[in-house]
């Protein structure tokens, strides 16, 4: 007779999860979080460094490039003697802009073109002098008598050409949701700075459409945003009951805030004296549209928009008092950047745990 195979009955006990690999995984996650914290902390320190730190020079002085010493703002005499115009690179309602050269360095020379707008020109110069910071183009000199301003040159030009710049082979690596969100953070940082400036709460009035907004800002070679045109920056002073109006003409279109539009309907002709004034929350209304331009249509930009949906909806509240402050928008943008960087750095971590 054949012997039947003898099977030994085994008890299958619950399998224990090895504690060492789990501990290693947790340690790796903690280490990655620590490195991410250090990176973001360094990033935010650079964003939040002293507002008036503009090359660590005292007021009335400047330095740029690799130059170590600070120089005083150039006077009329120095500008006439040392600055050489190269070519006209732009012209607006107030001034003409020339690419120029000073001590073998490219600079920008702006000159008044319409004498009727000299007050706007001088106001822009006053703002430029008073607001020198990491958010504002660097002032190198000026001549009030000749209505001339000398500023630092940024070869990438205004933000209007951002998309074209990001398609240049040299800069294609910058064309990511991460870099684009950082530019939007820079933009909101400028708005926050203007709303809490050393002079008080300033409103960016040269912003009646997207193209106009973008023309007011420069893109630096290391991909940061600077405000360049400060000709129209009226002051809000609530304690004194002082609000503002951006110009004396009727403003139209969805880009400008509701309170900037004529409130009495088409049957009543526009009259500047009847137009109610408003405050800095007009700048907040425009942030989602400007940020949408920054984000573009690269991979991941829609995810960023989804995370910003609530704050952008708040920015578009019809009642200005219900809109967030620029600081609140900036805080949200930074939180979204942190969250998305964490998720990109640790994909699937939650599932692993």
């Amino acid at each position: 007779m054949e012997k039947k195979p003898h099977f030994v009955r085994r008890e299958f006990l619950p399998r224990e999860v090895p504690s060492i690999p789990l501990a290693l995984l947790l340690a790796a996650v903690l280490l990655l979080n620590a490195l991410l914290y250090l990176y973001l902390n360094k990033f935010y320190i650079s964003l939040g460094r002293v507002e008036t730190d503009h090359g660590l020079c005292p007021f009335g002085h400047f330095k740029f490039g690799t130059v170590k010493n600070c120089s005083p703002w150039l006077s009329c005499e120095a500008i006439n003697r040392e600055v050489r115009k190269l070519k006209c690179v732009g012209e607006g309602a107030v001034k003409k802009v020339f690419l120029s050269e000073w001590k073998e360095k490219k600079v920008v020379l702006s000159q008044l073109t319409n004498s009727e707008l000299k007050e706007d020109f001088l106001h822009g110069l006053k703002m430029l002098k008073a607001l020198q910071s990491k958010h504002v183009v660097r002032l190198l000199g000026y001549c009030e008598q000749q209505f001339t301003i000398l500023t630092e040159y940024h070869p990438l030009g205004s933000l209007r050409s951002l998309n074209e710049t990001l398609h240049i082979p040299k800069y294609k690596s910058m064309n990511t949701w991460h870099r684009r969100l950082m530019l939007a953070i820079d933009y909101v940082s400028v708005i926050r700075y203007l709303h809490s400036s050393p002079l008080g709460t300033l409103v960016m009035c040269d912003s009646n459409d997207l193209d106009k907004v973008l023309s007011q800002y420069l893109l630096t070679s290391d991909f940061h945003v600077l405000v360049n045109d400060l000709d129209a920056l009226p002051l809000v002073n609530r304690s004194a009951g002082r609000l503002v109006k951006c110009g004396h003409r009727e403003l139209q279109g969805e880009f400008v805030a509701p309170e900037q539009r004529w409130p009495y309907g088409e049957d009543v002709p526009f009259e500047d004296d009847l137009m109610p004034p408003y405050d800095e929350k007009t700048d907040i209304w425009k942030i989602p549209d400007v940020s949408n331009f920054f984000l573009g249509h690269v991979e991941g930009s829609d995810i960023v928009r989804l995370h910003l949906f609530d704050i952008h909806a708040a920015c578009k509240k019809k009642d200005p008092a219900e809109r967030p402050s620029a600081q609140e928008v900036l805080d949200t943008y930074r939180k979204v950047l942190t969250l998305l960087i964490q998720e990109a750095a640790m994909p699937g971590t939650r599932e692993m745990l």
Side-chain angles (χ1 to χ4, degrees):
M1 292 180 62
E2 291 185 8
K3 293 184 178 180
K4 293 183 179 180
H6 179 65
F7 293 100
V8 178
R9 188 168 178 258
R10 297 179 181 178
E11 296 289 337
F12 289 96
L13 298 174
R15 188 178 177 186
E16 293 185 5
V17 178
S19 59
I20 294 179
L22 182 59
L24 289 175
L25 177 60
L26 288 171
V29 170
L30 290 173
L31 177 61
L32 192 55
N33 267 314
L35 293 173
L36 189 60
Y37 170 80
L38 291 173
Y39 164 76
L40 291 171
N41 190 51
K42 182 178 179 182
F43 171 66
Y44 289 136
I45 287 174
S46 69
L47 280 177
R49 64 187 183 273
V50 180
E51 301 292 1
T52 54
D53 174 13
H54 213 43
L56 299 177
C57 288
F59 180 80
H61 294 72
F62 72 92
K63 67 177 180 180
F64 67 101
T66 58
V67 178
K68 294 183 179 180
N69 298 324
C70 296
S71 302
W73 287 336
L74 300 187
S75 63
C76 297
E77 181 184 358
I79 291 174
N80 292 333
R81 185 180 64 249
E82 301 173 12
V83 177
R84 181 169 65 94
K85 291 181 185 176
L86 299 178
K87 63 178 180 178
C88 179
V89 292
E91 183 173 3
V94 178
K95 53 186 176 285
K96 185 177 287 188
V97 180
F98 297 90
L99 175 62
S100 305
E101 192 174 59
W102 174 70
K103 293 188 175 180
E104 300 182 350
K105 297 181 179 67
K106 296 288 193 303
V107 293
V108 173
L109 189 71
S110 301
Q111 292 184 317
L112 177 69
T113 55
N114 186 346
S115 60
E116 295 180 0
L117 297 174
K118 64 181 180 181
E119 293 304 320
D120 294 58
F121 184 90
L122 293 176
H123 177 74
L125 173 58
K126 177 185 175 182
M127 294 294 104
L128 194 55
K129 289 159 62 178
L131 298 175
Q132 283 295 286
S133 71
K134 68 187 183 73
H135 302 294
V136 179
V137 69
R138 199 185 309 265
L139 178 64
L140 308 180
Y142 63 91
C143 180
E144 285 193 36
Q145 298 94 314
Q146 298 173 7
F147 297 99
T148 298
I149 299 174
L150 193 71
T151 53
E152 189 173 11
Y153 171 63
H154 293 280
L156 296 183
S158 80
L159 289 177
R160 284 191 295 190
S161 58
L162 173 64
N163 288 324
E164 290 79 1
T165 297
L166 289 172
H167 282 94
I168 297 173
K170 179 180 178 180
Y171 299 112
K172 277 190 174 181
S173 62
M174 297 286 195
N175 196 17
T176 63
W177 70 263
H178 172 255
R179 178 59 64 176
R180 283 176 170 270
L181 179 55
M182 288 174 68
L183 290 174
I185 288 174
D186 269 1
Y187 165 71
V188 177
S189 296
V190 173
I191 299 299
R192 194 266 305 161
Y193 174 64
L194 295 178
H195 288 185
S196 57
S197 82
L199 300 177
T201 301
L202 299 168
V203 181
M204 192 66 176
C205 266
D206 261 345
S207 56
N208 297 334
D209 57 64
L210 178 61
D211 191 65
K212 186 63 174 176
V213 171
L214 299 175
S215 71
Q216 310 300 304
Y217 295 86
L218 295 171
L219 180 65
T220 67
S221 296
D222 59 351
F223 272 71
H224 285 286
V225 174
L226 298 176
V227 63
N228 181 52
D229 196 329
L230 304 174
D231 294 345
L233 278 183
L235 179 69
V236 169
N237 188 337
R238 284 193 185 83
S239 60
R242 183 194 301 167
L243 298 177
V244 305
K245 287 192 287 187
C246 291
H248 304 288
R249 298 179 181 178
E250 182 178 2
L251 301 179
Q252 296 177 326
E254 293 298 315
F255 188 82
V256 296
E259 63 271 23
Q260 291 184 281
R261 302 172 210 153
W262 180 243
Y264 303 117
E266 295 180 359
D267 295 335
V268 180
F270 176 81
E271 283 189 45
D272 184 44
D273 292 339
L274 298 179
M275 180 66 199
Y278 33 84
D279 62 18
E280 77 280 3
K281 290 298 184 73
T282 58
D283 290 333
I284 305 300
W285 170 273
K286 298 160 189 173
I287 285 176
D289 298 290
V290 180
S291 290
N292 187 54
F293 168 81
F294 277 119
L295 293 175
H297 301 285
V298 297
E299 183 180 355
S301 62
D302 286 341
I303 299 298
V304 178
R305 286 186 179 90
L306 184 62
H307 281 80
L308 296 177
F309 180 84
D310 288 341
I311 192 66
H312 283 174
C315 290
K316 290 294 187 179
K317 293 280 188 180
K318 188 172 183 179
D319 183 354
E322 295 182 7
R323 295 174 204 153
S325 67
Q327 184 65 61
E328 290 171 322
V329 178
L330 181 60
D331 290 343
T332 301
Y333 274 40
R334 288 175 173 174
K335 287 176 184 176
V336 167
L337 176 63
T338 301
L339 174 66
L340 292 177
I341 288 177
Q342 287 176 331
E343 290 181 353
M346 297 181 292
T349 301
R350 293 175 184 172
E351 290 78 3
M352 291 167 63
L353 296 175

